[in-house]
Amino acid sequence: AQYGLTIESDTDATSLGTVYRFYIEANDPSDKLSAVFGNDQMPLVISTPDGIYNDALNSTWNASGINSALFGFFPDLAYDSFATIGLDGPAAMVAGAEDPSLVQDASLPTTVSGYFQAGGTELNVNTLTGASWYVLNTATNALPTDGRWLVAQITTAGDLSGTLNAQIFPLGVGSDQIQQSWDFAGGEVIIPCDGELDECGVCDGPGIAEGACDCAGTLPTFARDCDGNCILDADGDGICDDEDECLTNTALMSDHIHKLCVETYNVGALGTTYRFYVNAEDDSDKISAVFGNDQSPLVINTPDGIYNDLFNSSWNASGINAALFGFFPDLEYDSYATSGLDGPAAGVAGAEDPSLVQDASLSTTVSGYFQAGGTELHVNTLTGASWYVLNTAANALPTDGRWLVAQITTTGSISGTLNYQVFPLGDGGNQIQKSVDFDSAMLDEDGNGCFPMISTVCGCMDESACNYNADANNEDGSCLQLDECGVCGGDGIADGACDCDGNVLDECGVCGG
């Protein structure tokens, strides 16, 4: 079931402006509110052109500094703007409650903490990492109070509009989580119209534009036959597919773009050292982030654990000083996450050590895995985790046509899924997100390989054909049909024969008589 958003406003409470309180309505007393969030897929937007009121006595972004005992002396404190999960004061005042936690992309023009501490005209959480304020499932304020959860209070002297997104666990069951968005303006929730969604998911939208191949207007240009030649008129429009704006083999094309490659860097007493690279398509491409969340889990399975060297105290490569290898050779094979660097950023002009945001409730965090080791890293929560660099960093650009994104040393096997975001030609507006499975068992005899391991399988792709090949991804024109004798590609009944056994009509007109 869907959940409702209610906004209560009071224009007479204070001369500071209108006080708006945002409540999410529960459907059942056992429902639990997990988080309020925003990212590039579901931006969280709060537009307040005239700014918001932030009281100096509350030094934090949430309600933990809203002490009602002080209202008699400092009445304006009651109208402070804050984000919350079910609380309008400190968690210490409610049995079993927890003040909400916050993860956020530090590169946002206005961060959540900045907006609710210093104010601003707009909060727009629209990056891959995004931001989220949340509580754990065990906190009592994850449950509704009087059938609802307070998620924000905003005081402003001007207009108010935007979009809120939340994750809710119906009946408290996390595996049944619902993510929902609400648009609002002027203190009112905007009710979606009753139109129909087009194939692009737009209510009463125009659908796919004429001449476009998909909802993004993408016009791919890749298709080759099994001999490496241009496929001529494969879709029957009289245009060679290498020149055709709308070809049919886009899935195969996308698998080859920005592939993940794994190389064996060293095999020694510590185990095998694997280096993970993402291939660039152009020298101006930029790597943005490696990430995981509930929609695209990041998984690294290392059943025998990984090697973490004590001389690198960081989760990234900032402590990998090559000058120390002669004295501490094992340091070179430390396991770390990175964005284009195999050492400190200080050694590369214009480079920046990658940053990390992560859900502290993960059973193993990214920083924990790459500092203390473990048998599995599984980033699968709403908040998830991401290591990233800003678009302005020199190491956002590829080195020798690729980016190093991780080094892992283990004595056993390694497998999993990596997700990464790339800006083609450095343009963040055209960002590509890829999710790629990998497995050391599939590497070649030298321990190298690229994923996904897409190979051209030539065959008949017509399901109505008698020799249809379900594994084929490239039509080779070999499709056959059953003849009247049930032979695939057969010649049928021969001239002069009256049946499939070659019998002929006798003079009395009897077949085989």
Side-chain angles (χ1 to χ4, degrees), residues 279-343:
N279 286 346
E281 291 296 303
D282 188 273
D283 288 341
S284 65
D285 290 349
K286 292 188 175 182
I287 190 82
S288 168
V290 179
F291 67 95
N293 53 42
D294 59 337
Q295 302 299 308
S296 298
L298 182 152
V299 181
I300 303 176
N301 293 309
T302 46
D304 294 342
I306 64 175
Y307 176 68
N308 300 97
D309 196 274
L310 294 176
F311 282 95
N312 182 16
S313 59
S314 176
W315 57 270
N316 59 41
S318 59
I320 309 295
N321 187 340
L324 298 177
F325 291 170
F327 304 98
F328 309 103
D330 291 347
L331 175 60
E332 186 175 359
Y333 311 115
D334 178 61
S335 300
Y336 56 82
T338 184
S339 296
L341 300 171
D342 61 0

Side-chain angles (χ1 to χ4, degrees), residues 197-224:
L197 294 178
D198 64 9
E199 60 265 48
C200 300
V202 178
C203 187
D204 282 336
I208 297 175
E210 183 177 354
C213 303
D214 59 24
C215 298
T218 303
L219 303 174
T221 56
F222 173 89
R224 293 284 169 179

Side-chain angles (χ1 to χ4, degrees), residues 459-472 475 478-480 488:
C460 173
M461 298 176 65
D462 182 356
E463 294 185 20
S464 68
C466 57
N467 64 330
Y468 167 66
N469 184 352
D471 296 324
E475 176 63 60
S478 65
C479 293
L480 301 173
C488 187

